[in-house]
Structures are given as C-alpha cells and as structure tokens.
Amino acid sequence: AKNLHEACHSLKSQFEFNAAEKSSSGSRLNVTEAPLVSIVTPSYNQGPFLRRTIESVLTQDYPNIEYLVVDGGSKDESVAILKSYGDKFTWVSEPDNGQTHAINKGFAQAKGEILAYLNSDDVIYPAAVSTVVDYFKRNPACDLVYGRADYLDKDDNITGSYNTDHYSFERNMHDCCICQPACFWQKRIADLVGPFDEKLNFGMDYDYWLRTDRAGGNIHHISDILAGSRLYSETKTLSAREEVYGDIFHVCRKHGGYVGLSYFQGLWHHRLREKQTVLSALLRYIPSSYKSFARIHHRLSCQSELSLRGLSKKAARKLAMKSNWLSKHPDSMVRGFYSDNWLAPNSRFRVKGSKNYYIIGFAPVDTELKVSIDGKICQTVTIEANIRKLIKIDVELGRCEVQLNFLRHVTDTVERRLAFHVESTDLFSEVDLY
C-alpha cells in the first residue's frame, strides 16, 4: 500500500493549471464562441441553502450556462424560492426516486458540451465556470477536470479544505481525491460512461469518477479553488456514515478489486469515536484503538477478496500464485495474470497462431516493457504511469510463447507485485485461465 501511495504521488504535475498562463489569455469568451455549460442541481427540502446555491450559479461571469434544478417535491419553502426566479433557469418540482434519480433526470434534459452537478446546499465560487472552460480550451484532450474546494458550515464559514490531489486511479482508490461540486466533465465522456448508478444513494459520484477512469477518461486536477462543499451534522454524508462506507466498499471492490486501508480506518474511527455504543465507550480512550480494528478488518477483507477462505496469509498468497500460473489446457498457457486483471512484472502467454496481437491497459508507475518471443527480445516499449497504452505484438511463428517483462511495478496490500492493468487483449481468452 505504501508503494502504491508513493507511486501516485510521483505523478508528473503536467496537468496543474498555470495561473500566470491563465492571466495572459486575454478577455473572457463571448457567448457566440463559448461552449454551453449545463449544471444540474438535485434538491429536496433544502430551503435554508437553496437560494445561496442558485445565486452562486446565476452570478457566474461566464455567458453561456444552462441551469436546471430538479426538486423532489419539497414541502418547505423550496418551491417558493424557485418560483421567485421566474424564467431565469429551468426547474421542476415533483416526486422522484431520490438524489441520484434527480441528477439523471436533469442530465437527460441537459444540452451542454460541458456538464456538472451542484447539490442544493453547496456553492461554486465566482469565475469557477469560466476557469474550467478556459482549461478545457487549453487542454482539449481533457475529459474531466476538478479543482480544490473548501468545507463550509451552515453560515458559510470556511471550516477546512477538501483533500483533493493530483489524479491517478490508485490515488482515487486510496481516498477519493475529487470533490464533486468542484468537478466538471465533457459530454463526450458522459456518453461513454452513461448515467449515474441509481442503486447508490451515497457513492454515486465516487462510482462515476472511477467509471470515467475505466472508460478511458483523461482526468486532470487544477489548483484553483472552485467550490464550497457544505458539511454539517444533517448532511447525508455525516448522518448515515455506515451506509456511506457501505457504498464506498461496494464501489471500490467493483472497480479496483480491493478496498484501501484508509477507508477501513475511517469506518472504525466512526464506530469507535463518533458512535455512542458500549464498545465505543470502552475503547474510546485507548490510543489508536480504531486503527488496530481497521488493520484486522482490512486483512480479513483482503483474504476474502482473493476468495481464499480459511487460509493463512502466506498460504493464500501461495495458492493465489498457483491459480494464476496454471492452465488446464496443454496447448495454452497464461502465467502472471491475476483475476482482477493485473499482470505481474514477468508474464507469459502461449499463443497458437501468427498474427498481430494487442494488449491495452495502463501501468501504475513509469516503466519499460521488454517483449520477448520464445526468449528473444523483439521490442522495447516505454510506458508512462496511468496513461492508457496500446501495445501491439507481431507474432510470425505459428506457436510460441510471448513474454512481457516490466522493469518497474508496485506492491499491493497482500504483497502482490502489480505491473500492468489489462483492459482488453487478444493474447488469451477466459477459457485459457481455467
């Protein structure tokens, strides 16, 4: 885990926004050359905050914003607030199936090239939209960009900073480094990713960021503070912590095959420091007790994720290696491939025909790949960390062994050496793994 975290922090800062460059860009875009930005606000009984959220959008200096508020049939002053704005934006108030459903309803109507959603108790800061559009124009390959954000209390006082960071898949798996109200993305990637998952009540944004990555999205981080995220006792995030972590664990296992130790620590900190239970009362004053419980829970989870029930950690690793290195079929062989699509630093594949094979995926660190056929090196490939890479392998022999040797790798929480995450390949099929 330490190696993974260090690898994430060694990423180049080529995506960081250059403030001096921004200031020299000249005047803001006029409406005829400005892409439409669609912002959706899901809301339900958020009258005390709703006007502040709306005003933060309507007072932006960017000239081409489509704003849609999707209210779930509020019983407080929300509808009166919405009516007071006349036709300044589009809104609807009717029963829905919750926040995620409301977000999807809004985006189904949105026509913008750039998308975002803003919860009805959060705010975006002045010039946030123009800053993001400027960045997209300067970086046309970028699919999703997010900035820094403040935590706000009920009275708009800044109480802290959201822990954003330079993006990598592993960094985001360790602890979500993307703050939702400070995040904007292109419609082209939204069309690939699809709607938010309505089965998730709390982790739908986290799930969406990881799905964007897995869809090949190019994700950037900028240093500008773009938004204020409301944090108070009645928010969904703080009032239902167990359910929140349930969503997080589900999302992490679905997209990465594991849950990072930091999330177990957060869960047990909540159970032993925040909740009022007999166990928490007994252990609250023991230093770092929650960390000990988190480590035990994490270890048990790692063994479960490897589907190796009842085995010691050492035996689990040994059996895991065997299961990844053996094949039932004498005419085919796959070695060094893990069931969650990772390749070990030295991987081998027996192929049956001459053709141009391929493998697509990403490496967690900058590395060099040497491709050998029957022990003879035929090509060397330089691979940048966390950049989707297509590797083509030309095989002229009718039957041979292809070897992939990666110079660098990372080590995960169960001491597996991971060098490359496979998204697609024709070097082998599922049949070859059993």
Side-chain angles (χ1 to χ4, degrees):
K2 179 181 178 183
N3 288 349
L4 283 170
H5 191 62
E6 290 176 351
C8 297
H9 279 279
S10 69
L11 290 172
K12 298 177 182 178
S13 60
Q14 69 266 34
F15 300 143
E16 192 70 33
F17 190 75
N18 187 307
E21 198 174 64
K22 176 186 171 187
S23 65
S24 65
S25 63
S27 60
R28 295 290 182 192
L29 298 167
N30 62 56
V31 71
T32 58
E33 62 181 0
L36 180 64
V37 177
S38 295
I39 300 175
V40 172
T41 288
S43 184
Y44 183 71
N45 289 340
Q46 289 288 346
F49 305 107
L50 181 57
R51 192 176 294 277
R52 280 175 272 181
T53 300
I54 293 172
E55 289 295 326
S56 77
V57 176
L58 297 185
T59 57
Q60 291 289 309
D61 66 349
Y62 186 74
N64 200 13
I65 296 176
E66 175 190 45
Y67 188 40
L68 307 99
V69 178
V70 184
D71 182 79
S74 293
K75 306 304 181 184
D76 63 359
E77 67 269 34
S78 295
V79 175
I81 292 172
L82 294 170
K83 287 180 177 178
S84 71
Y85 284 94
D87 59 356
K88 290 185 178 179
F89 55 85
T90 300
W91 65 273
V92 64
S93 181
E94 59 188 18
D96 55 35
N97 297 324
Q99 180 186 7
T100 313
H101 179 224
I103 293 168
N104 285 336
K105 280 176 61 178
F107 283 129
Q109 299 179 50
K111 301 178 180 65
E113 298 175 45
I114 298 171
L115 307 175
Y117 84 86
L118 183 67
N119 288 324
S120 51
D121 54 357
D122 295 333
V123 295
I124 51 174
Y125 288 161
V129 176
S130 55
T131 296
V132 166
V133 174
D134 283 348
Y135 188 82
F136 277 129
K137 280 187 162 288
R138 295 170 181 276
N139 298 269
C142 176
D143 294 303
L144 180 151
V145 63
Y146 63 99
R148 296 161 59 201
D150 296 321
Y151 281 126
L152 304 178
D153 66 12
K154 289 183 176 182
D155 301 315
D156 296 333
N157 298 308
I158 296 175
T159 59
S161 298
Y162 193 101
N163 188 29
T164 60
D165 202 350
H166 296 297
Y167 183 81
S168 74
F169 180 77
E170 292 297 342
R171 171 63 184 86
N172 206 33
M173 284 285 294
H174 170 76
D175 176 39
C176 183
C177 60
I178 300 177
C179 184
Q180 173 266 311
C183 182
F184 295 76
W185 58 97
Q186 305 261 26
K187 186 179 185 300
R188 67 189 183 212
I189 194 67
D191 289 340
L192 289 175
V193 175
F196 286 78
D197 187 347
E198 294 181 16
K199 295 190 294 293
L200 299 172
N201 293 319
F202 301 94
M204 63 287 202
D205 54 342
Y206 189 33
D207 172 73
Y208 199 82
W209 315 147
L210 293 174
R211 285 164 57 199
T212 298
D213 183 295
R214 300 297 79 182
N218 197 354
I219 301 175
H220 296 192
H221 173 251
I222 60 177
S223 61
D224 299 75
I225 304 176
L226 301 180
S229 179
R230 196 82 60 180
L231 198 61
Y232 54 99
S233 58
E234 293 87 359
T235 58
K236 282 175 60 177
T237 304
L238 292 185
S239 62
R241 298 298 282 168
E242 290 281 341
E243 293 88 344
V244 169
Y245 280 108
D247 271 12
I248 289 173
F249 280 36
H250 169 76
V251 167
C252 286
R253 287 183 175 123
K254 180 173 71 171
H255 297 296
Y258 68 95
V259 181
L261 176 60
S262 63
Y263 285 128
F264 287 93
Q265 291 177 340
L267 173 62
W268 282 98
H269 183 275
H270 164 68
R271 288 175 173 176
L272 300 184
R273 293 287 190 270
E274 299 169 358
K275 289 181 69 173
Q276 300 299 319
T277 65
V278 174
L279 180 62
S280 65
L282 292 172
L283 299 176
R284 184 170 290 127
Y285 300 104
I286 300 176
S288 301
S289 58
Y290 74 91
K291 292 184 179 180
S292 299
F293 276 81
R295 283 194 294 270
I296 293 170
H297 191 178
H298 183 238
R299 286 184 180 180
L300 293 173
S301 175
C302 288
Q303 291 187 10
S304 174
E305 284 155 12
L306 286 172
S307 300
L308 304 171
R309 300 180 181 88
L311 298 173
S312 69
K313 186 177 179 182
K314 183 176 181 180
R317 285 201 302 273
K318 185 180 293 186
L319 184 56
M321 288 303 296
K322 284 184 178 180
S323 67
N324 284 313
W325 280 68
L326 294 178
S327 169
K328 287 183 178 179
H329 302 284
D331 290 332
S332 65
M333 180 176 66
V334 178
R335 293 186 176 182
F337 177 78
Y338 292 100
S339 59
D340 55 355
N341 293 351
W342 281 98
L343 292 180
N346 300 305
S347 306
R348 302 179 186 179
F349 311 91
R350 181 170 293 162
V351 297
K352 302 177 183 179
S354 57
K355 61 178 281 189
N356 291 319
Y357 291 90
Y358 74 91
I359 184 167
I360 300 173
F362 69 92
V365 289
D366 290 341
T367 189
E368 184 178 88
L369 167 64
K370 294 186 183 299
V371 180
S372 302
I373 296 178
D374 286 342
K376 183 178 180 180
I377 297 176
C378 62
Q379 64 176 302
T380 300
V381 182
T382 300
I383 303 175
E384 292 185 55
N386 297 288
I387 301 297
R388 196 166 186 260
K389 184 74 173 179
L390 166 64
I391 301 164
K392 296 181 179 180
I393 303 168
D394 186 13
V395 174
E396 298 179 354
L397 304 174
R399 188 186 298 266
C400 65
E401 183 179 85
V402 176
Q403 300 168 315
L404 304 180
N405 298 303
F406 296 89
L407 181 63
R408 299 184 63 210
H409 64 274
V410 296
T411 304
D412 72 357
T413 53
V414 289
E415 299 178 20
R416 299 184 306 169
R417 298 187 304 159
L418 309 177
F420 193 82
H421 191 272
V422 180
E423 295 179 0
S424 177
T425 186
D426 62 354
L427 277 171
F428 62 94
S429 67
E430 291 184 6
V431 173
D432 298 322
L433 300 176
Y434 301 100

